[in-house]
Amino acid sequence: MPRRRTSSSSSSTAPRNRTPQPVRVQRRTVGDVLRALLAFAALLVLLAGVPAALVLFIGWPLPHGVPSLDWLRSEITVSTFLNILTVVVWLAWAQFTACVLVEVKAALSGVGVPGRVPGAGPSQLLARQLVAALLLVGATAAGLTPGLSQLGHSVEGGQKPAVAAARQTPGLFAQQQERAADGAAAVAAQASVAAAHADAAHRHGDTKYYRIQPPEGRHHDSLWEIAQRHLGDGRRYKEIYALNKDRVQPDGSRLSEASLIRPGWIMEMPGDARGGDLVEAPGATAGVPAEVQRQIADYAGSGDRARDGADAHAPGGTDTAPAPVPAQRPAADAGAGHPAAGATATGSADSFGLPEALLGAPLLAAGLLGALGRRRRQALWQSAIGAVGGRRGTEPPTPTGDAADAQDALLVGADPEGVRLLDLSLRGLAARLAADSRSLPTVYAAWLTGGDLHLQLAQPAGKPPAPWRLGQDQTFWTLARADAERLDDVDTAAPYPGLVSLGTLDDSRLLLNLEAVPGIVSLSGREADRAAFFASVAAELATNGWSDRMTITLVGFGEDLTPLAPSRLRHLDSVDDLVETMEAETRQRRGALGAAGHDSVLTGRTGPARHTRWAPHLVLLAAQPSAADAVTLAELASDASRLGIGYLVGTETGELPGASWEMEVTPEGRLLAPLLGLELDAQLLPAAQRRAVVELFVEADPERDPQGPAPAPPFLVDVSEQGRPAVYARLVGPYEIIGLDGPDGDRSALLHEALALLLLHREGVHPRVLCAALWPRGVTDDVRDALLDRLREWLGTDPDGTPRLSADPTGRLVLAESVVSDLDVLRSLYHEATQGRGVDSRVVRGRLLTDALVLVRGPLLADRPEGRYRWLTHEIIDARLPLLVADIGLALSAFHLEKERAEKAIEALDAALNSAPDDERLWHELLRATHATGDGERLRTLAAGLVARGGARGVPPRTEALLDELLPTWRGGATAAG
């Protein structure tokens, strides 16, 4: 409907009628009054008392005429000293007075960040606190708090938009709240309304209609806001949606799950809707143009038919399943050919007992999985170079119980390709903008929808660089997945490392740029629900793949999370410690930005400078701070977005002084942000899953005490003549299977890949892990079951009728002992030589080690086809196999050197170096064995080869020290060779 006009305005741009909402007014306490009186007295003394005392007791401190040269040579008397001191006091008083004037102006106007008086850090802070205390109880302060009824809407007369905040704080935080309103509008104003099928609500009274209004500035209509304004509760949007879903609109389009609500559309409203924008049942309504009345009449005629169709899906016209609340997000491109991030590997809703929280968090799972792999590789290499306390071996401990389930859930839920494309897209954008001498825009949020990336900007920033394009309006920059896949790696800093997943809406995932929010983000809800949300945010920030350096400070929770990323996560014991830390860092960052000439961290993070000090610092405070601490944190956060600092603070009551954006996590796992127009399925990491994930990292900690025997392989083979397997697969080198006929040619590659995965995990493979590995973009149950049936049929049974592929009590797929790989034999031979029969028999040890080294024919699965076996990127076998081969070569070399067979030792080391050329231990032993031959020329040749191999990096320090010992003249030879 057309907007209501006042008698004094006939412009079509007049604001639409809004239903006013009450503003909560905080009552002033006796303590507030006393603080105000003390502040007034302090200001009176400092502003009037100090100059009066100086004039009365000291007088004019400066000379009355131009001083001569003799004056400079005269003796400094007590009077001269007092005059100098008086001048200093006058200057300090003038500076403090300027601070008070600046703070009073900012507080009374409510506009703009208070100007900074040069060199007046402590003085301005004192002035700010005194002015705030004085205005807190005054009539002026009450008038400084804008009403929530004006949230995010433009007003007439060119006035600034109303300040938006969940709880408004007078004066001091006016600019912060205004910027928060802009941020809320940027996240909430442009979007498609997405929702599932809903109940047809019980209506009473006359039918009413609402016509979607054109946007005013950056404000767009949304179903949530319409329900809030005319039904009194934004969550009743589902009633409006159910009444209008799939009905033909005046422009010929329909309201559906993936479409926008557009200006000019008609919405039928429940009968109890109220407000000046509504039109009663179609007819000659005063003030409504005839064309609009005709459109409403036509639309009303489609209502019964649409509702009849909807009722046909609900037996007896009864209630159907409730729909989720709509959120504001970018419209997905029609026909998007990529599944949403986080699509499960099977089409079944059955999780097979795996933690759903990790299955449904693809970016979090990918980060955790990558960090866990790096941690395990680090532990292996640290063990390889001889960690204090003994060797741990090349076999990391096999997870069991909840830890095993958590690892399987990470393998199934992870979307490493999505993380790679996100990182590639963001760095590519930064590089292109830098090449065009353009600054990075402020990004409040990112949506991953249908494989495409949508960045939501705080304000329009012009045309994006190709292949980016404008989205649905000037504040959306969009990159299609197909374009992202064609991007090349670039050497630039991560531009938006503070992006973190909040949750999902249908096929879209929302990431909030926590460091860009203008002020504090508060989170309310039950303690356990808040803890699960905080843990998810902390874990993803600590391990994500689209950031470089980062500091994450945890307060009130998360001491157990530090093993995930000890270099990023920091735990503080109290809010007092946090306040002290952040005050110091805020001062340091402000000074550093000023000295560098940057207006924000975005201009210093990328480009030629790329200062590491612009890495984000994100504060996650789970415990609700006191009112005084909340005000202090809000004051620190008022400039935090410019400094690269973000604050997420928990609250038990839902009210946090100074909070800019409010969120709530419900017991049902929903994340509500009404001011942003959002309701999502929250991304959570509940306590049980958090403990299981932490256990995985603790077990892989390279600093963990390695004492005790090295863990045995998960599967040991009978290496005697009687232990011949029925099926033998060669994996170390080209893939070959002995003992089975080739499977169906069309499915041979898939079956071989499935068997390889099972052979590399003799402890068992969860069915969903197998499916996620073979079909990372998803598969239906019937295809999965058909593959398992073919695999069982191909492997067959043992002579006693036992199937060679079965399920253990936990449901994991395991191979029979009669199915063996050369990797199993390799591990078993080395274990038998070093911890079994070879310990007591030198002859047996030498034979077992020689047999083991003969099995090494090259890298793992050397001839694997292009595009397959991508799941190997999640494994650490690529690190374990070279270490195992190196250990075998070193053991066999030592075996031969005991009998002074240097040539045999060199032969064993050369064979091991073919598969583990980067293992420095092998080169060291090769140098010692070559030195043992007494052939100086051969040793010099080897040394020259090592120098050439080091290239520009040079020879490693330990190798250099060994060369100094064995061949003191090697440096001259290297110089001559160079």
Side-chain angles (χ1 to χ4, degrees):
M1 288 301 300
R3 301 167 187 169
R4 193 179 75 174
R5 297 172 170 82
T6 64
S7 59
S8 61
S9 176
S10 59
S11 170
S12 61
T13 62
R16 66 173 76 89
N17 182 41
R18 309 281 182 187
T19 302
Q21 300 179 19
V23 180
R24 290 193 302 267
V25 178
Q26 185 175 0
R27 294 183 178 277
R28 309 306 178 194
T29 65
V30 175
D32 293 335
V33 175
L34 290 176
R35 280 192 292 271
L37 293 176
L38 291 175
F40 176 77
L43 286 172
L44 187 63
V45 169
L46 292 172
L47 295 180
V50 169
L54 290 174
V55 172
L56 181 62
F57 296 105
I58 304 296
W60 182 252
L62 300 176
H64 295 281
V66 178
S68 63
L69 188 61
D70 293 337
W71 180 83
L72 295 175
R73 295 172 180 171
S74 62
E75 182 181 357
I76 298 177
T77 63
V78 174
S79 176
T80 303
F81 178 77
L82 289 177
N83 287 336
I84 294 173
L85 183 61
T86 302
V87 171
V88 173
V89 175
W90 272 111
L91 292 175
W93 173 85
Q95 184 187 61
F96 179 76
T97 302
C99 293
V100 172
L101 294 175
V102 167
E103 295 297 331
V104 169
K105 178 181 179 299
L108 292 177
S109 64
V111 177
V113 176
R116 287 181 174 80
V117 179
S123 296
Q124 189 159 6
L125 179 61
L126 175 61
R128 183 175 306 167
Q129 293 172 342
L130 293 174
V131 171
L134 180 61
L135 295 181
L136 187 62
V137 296
T140 305
L144 294 175
T145 308
L148 293 180
S149 61
Q150 300 179 27
L151 173 61
H153 305 149
S154 298
V155 294
E156 295 181 287
Q159 297 174 357
K160 285 190 170 287
V163 177
R167 177 180 176 87
Q168 303 293 351
T169 306
L172 287 175
F173 310 117
Q175 172 68 7
Q176 175 185 339
Q177 304 289 12
E178 180 182 349
R179 294 168 62 200
D182 292 341
V187 175
Q190 15 266 327
S192 60
V193 177
H197 293 283
D199 308 336
H202 295 289
R203 300 183 305 278
H204 52 84
D206 295 331
T207 305
K208 299 179 178 66
Y209 296 87
Y210 176 84
R211 189 167 184 261
I212 304 299
Q213 299 297 310
E216 290 182 356
R218 283 166 39 193
H219 173 78
H220 296 238
D221 253 342
S222 69
L223 289 186
W224 177 284
E225 187 190 34
I226 295 169
Q228 180 72 35
R229 193 164 62 247
H230 297 293
L231 299 176
D233 185 357
R235 301 187 193 188
R236 292 187 61 187
Y237 86 95
K238 63 183 70 174
E239 301 174 28
I240 306 174
Y241 179 80
L243 289 171
N244 297 279
K245 183 180 183 299
D246 293 331
R247 292 169 64 177
V248 178
Q249 294 290 337
D251 61 1
S253 54
R254 301 171 185 266
L255 173 64
S256 62
E257 291 183 357
S259 68
L260 290 166
I261 60 169
R262 301 172 184 169
W265 278 11
I266 308 298
M267 293 288 116
E268 182 176 341
M269 301 290 289
D272 61 336
R274 297 290 182 268
D277 297 7
L278 301 179
V279 173
E280 301 290 340
T285 305
V288 179
E291 176 62 19
V292 175
Q293 293 190 45
R294 184 189 63 76
Q295 291 177 357
I296 293 177
D298 293 341
Y299 187 76
S302 67
D304 292 339
R305 177 162 39 86
R307 284 192 295 274
D308 290 343
D311 292 341
H313 298 286
T318 58
D319 291 343
T320 57
V325 175
Q328 308 288 344
R329 62 181 172 95
D333 292 338
H338 301 276
T344 57
T346 68
S348 172
D350 185 5
S351 66
F352 289 92
L354 298 183
E356 292 287 354
L358 296 173
L359 292 176
L363 304 184
L364 169 62
L368 289 171
L369 198 60
L372 182 60
R374 291 190 295 272
R375 180 68 56 83
R376 287 173 170 171
R377 286 179 173 85
Q378 183 182 0
L380 286 174
W381 283 109
Q382 185 161 325
S383 172
I385 63 176
V388 177
R391 287 294 311 277
R392 305 174 74 181
T394 60
E395 299 296 333
T398 301
T400 58
D402 290 342
D405 289 341
Q407 177 173 276
D408 287 341
L410 293 177
L411 289 167
V412 174
D415 181 19
E417 180 64 9
V419 171
R420 187 186 74 85
L421 291 179
L422 176 60
D423 182 50
L424 200 63
S425 302
L426 296 176
R427 293 181 194 265
L429 175 63
R432 283 165 171 76
L433 289 172
D436 295 339
S437 299
R438 297 173 59 186
S439 59
L440 285 168
T442 300
V443 170
Y444 277 140
W447 288 94
L448 291 173
T449 304
D452 299 338
L453 173 62
H454 307 262
L455 295 183
Q456 206 154 359
L457 312 185
Q459 58 188 8
K463 183 179 179 180
W468 289 79
R469 56 184 174 82
L470 286 175
Q472 57 206 52
D473 66 21
Q474 294 287 327
T475 60
F476 269 102
W477 284 6
T478 299
L479 181 67
R481 181 179 179 122
D483 292 328
E485 291 171 341
R486 292 192 289 267
L487 295 175
D488 297 324
D489 290 328
V490 293
D491 182 21
T492 188
Y496 304 112
L499 284 169
V500 63
S501 300
L502 296 187
T504 58
L505 172 69
D506 298 332
D507 63 342
S508 296
R509 181 170 301 277
L510 174 63
L511 291 84
L512 176 68
N513 190 6
L514 192 56
E515 66 168 333
V517 176
I520 289 177
V521 179
S522 71
L523 178 72
S524 61
R526 298 187 312 181
E527 182 177 2
D529 300 324
R530 285 187 284 120
F533 185 82
F534 271 105
S536 171
V537 170
E540 185 171 299
L541 288 172
T543 61
N544 74 57
W546 55 88
S547 65
D548 299 322
R549 296 176 63 257
M550 181 185 299
T551 299
I552 307 159
T553 298
L554 312 179
V555 185
F557 83 108
E559 190 171 7
D560 60 329
L561 290 175
T562 51
L564 303 185
S567 62
R568 285 192 177 187
L569 290 171
R570 173 178 63 180
H571 182 269
L572 297 180
D573 294 328
S574 67
V575 179
D576 290 340
D577 294 339
L578 173 66
V579 170
E580 181 179 356
T581 299
M582 298 315 298
E583 284 179 339
E585 179 155 354
T586 299
R587 286 194 301 269
Q588 185 273 330
R589 291 203 175 206
R590 283 173 178 166
L593 276 178
H598 299 308
D599 57 353
S600 75
V601 295
L602 289 180
T603 57
R605 182 171 290 160
T606 58
R610 293 178 56 175
H611 295 302
T612 57
R613 59 189 170 197
W614 309 136
H617 186 163
L618 305 176
V619 175
L620 307 181
L621 172 57
Q624 178 167 340
S626 65
D629 288 335
V631 170
T632 302
L633 290 174
E635 189 174 78
L636 291 172
S638 63
D639 198 26
S641 60
R642 188 177 69 92
L643 305 175
I645 302 175
Y647 293 85
L648 178 62
V649 180
T651 171
E652 300 172 0
T653 62
E655 298 180 0
L656 188 69
S660 297
W661 292 359
E662 273 191 346
M663 299 189 299
E664 176 188 0
V665 58
T666 70
E668 296 75 28
R670 304 286 289 171
L671 184 67
L672 310 180
L675 294 179
L676 306 182
L678 293 171
E679 181 168 347
L680 311 171
D681 290 321
Q683 180 172 295
L684 306 174
L685 187 59
Q689 283 76 59
R690 183 178 72 248
R691 288 192 295 268
V693 167
V694 170
E695 181 181 342
L696 291 173
F697 280 80
V698 170
E699 289 292 330
D701 186 359
E703 302 298 330
R704 195 175 180 218
D705 185 4
Q707 291 186 0
F715 176 65
L716 290 174
V717 178
D718 183 358
V719 294
S720 66
E721 289 293 330
Q722 294 75 27
R724 294 182 178 274
V727 178
Y728 182 66
R730 292 178 175 176
L731 304 179
V732 185
Y735 193 0
E736 181 183 357
I737 297 179
I738 302 171
L740 287 178
D741 295 331
D744 185 342
D746 293 337
R747 301 184 178 92
S748 175
L750 192 64
L751 291 172
H752 277 78
E753 186 175 358
L755 179 57
L757 178 61
L758 292 167
L759 285 167
L760 291 177
H761 290 277
R762 299 307 301 241
E763 73 277 8
V765 177
H766 197 286
R768 293 197 68 175
V769 174
L770 180 66
C771 293
L774 301 180
W775 296 285
R777 295 176 62 180
V779 67
T780 56
D781 292 348
D782 56 339
V783 174
R784 177 199 65 206
D785 295 339
L787 169 76
L788 294 180
D789 290 341
R790 291 190 188 95
L791 191 57
R792 291 189 182 97
E793 182 181 357
W794 179 41
L795 292 175
T797 59
D798 286 331
D800 61 358
T802 303
R804 290 171 180 157
L805 177 64
S806 59
D808 68 7
T810 67
R812 288 174 170 80
L813 301 171
V814 293
L815 293 171
E817 294 184 357
S818 59
V819 182
V820 172
S821 74
D822 55 354
L823 185 58
D824 296 327
V825 177
L826 190 67
R827 290 166 169 164
S828 300
L829 287 171
Y830 179 67
H831 182 267
E832 190 71 16
T834 56
Q835 300 185 47
R837 291 179 295 148
V839 174
D840 300 322
S841 172
R842 171 182 166 79
V843 175
V844 171
R845 182 167 73 255
R847 178 172 57 82
L848 291 173
L849 291 173
T850 302
D851 291 345
L853 203 56
V854 169
L855 291 175
V856 181
R857 302 175 300 130
L860 186 76
L861 298 168
D863 58 351
R864 56 181 179 267
E866 183 71 23
R868 289 199 172 275
Y869 298 88
R870 293 182 177 177
W871 46 269
L872 280 172
T873 58
H874 300 318
E875 306 282 345
I876 61 169
I877 186 63
D878 59 335
R880 290 163 57 192
L881 180 58
L883 286 176
L884 176 59
V885 173
D887 284 344
I888 294 172
L890 291 169
L892 188 55
S893 172
F895 171 80
H896 288 304
L897 287 176
E898 287 176 2
K899 295 297 184 180
E900 299 183 351
R901 296 194 291 262
E903 293 295 339
K904 286 287 187 180
I906 292 173
E907 182 180 343
L909 292 169
D910 285 337
L913 280 168
N914 288 331
S915 294
D918 297 325
D919 198 309
E920 192 179 358
R921 299 172 301 157
L922 291 174
W923 292 106
H924 291 175
E925 290 306 308
L926 185 59
L927 283 171
R928 294 187 178 98
T930 304
H931 181 266
T933 65
D935 189 340
E937 183 61 30
R938 188 176 180 181
L939 183 59
R940 282 190 290 272
T941 301
L942 178 58
L946 285 174
V947 172
R949 187 174 182 273
R953 295 176 300 175
V955 178
R958 295 188 182 189
T959 305
E960 184 177 353
L962 183 60
L963 283 171
D964 287 338
E965 173 66 24
L966 301 178
L967 187 64
T969 62
W970 72 275
R971 298 179 188 275
T975 304

